[in-house]
Amino acid sequence: MRKLFNTNFNQEGIHFMLLVLRVAIAAFMLAHGYPKLQYLTSGGPIEFMDFLGIGQAASLALAVFAEFFCSILLLFGLGTRLAVLPLIVTMLIAIFMVHAADAFEKKELACHYLVVYLFILVSGSGKYSIDYIISRNQSKRRR
């Protein structure tokens, strides 16, 4: 019963779950970003929400950058905290602009992504990431 209510952190477990969370959320978002990348590179006419007033093609390119390329960085844990910033902005745009008039059920998925990205922003990528390897190598050089 004591273990059930124990609030101490299992460091290895947390690092492993950060890996699982990072890889899973990146893979899920890649499923949204890859079709947009195909659409952007198809050469056909682009119809996409111009959320910043910069044009439909540029807006789609920004969405592809966040949802596809930043998700790949997140997958490997490279520049993780920087990579989630465009993803956070994308989810905020999805919640407050794209689905502004929709019921919560339409906004819910973007809210889930947003919460996970905010958690990763605060926690970092964890021990099983390229960020960790780079950080460890820089620490050795400082000594």
Side-chain angles (χ1 to χ4, degrees), residues 74-138:
L74 184 60
L75 183 75
F76 292 108
L78 177 60
T80 303
R81 286 189 169 110
L82 286 176
V84 296
L85 291 175
L87 289 161
I88 289 169
V89 170
T90 301
M91 292 306 104
L92 289 170
I93 289 169
I95 294 165
F96 294 111
M97 295 179 82
V98 176
H99 297 292
D102 295 336
F104 179 73
E105 291 80 27
K106 284 283 198 178
K107 300 175 188 181
E108 185 179 4
L109 182 60
C111 290
H112 283 287
Y113 278 112
L114 178 62
V115 168
V116 172
Y117 293 143
L118 289 170
F119 178 80
I120 293 171
L121 177 68
V122 171
S123 68
S125 56
K127 186 176 175 181
Y128 306 113
S129 65
I130 295 174
D131 287 345
Y132 179 79
I133 294 167
I134 292 170
S135 174
R136 192 178 65 201
N137 288 340
Q138 287 178 346

Side-chain angles (χ1 to χ4, degrees), residues 1-13:
M1 195 62 142
R2 249 187 196 163
K3 284 190 177 194
L4 185 62
F5 296 104
N6 186 349
T7 58
N8 294 330
F9 291 109
N10 173 346
Q11 292 296 321
E12 284 305 310

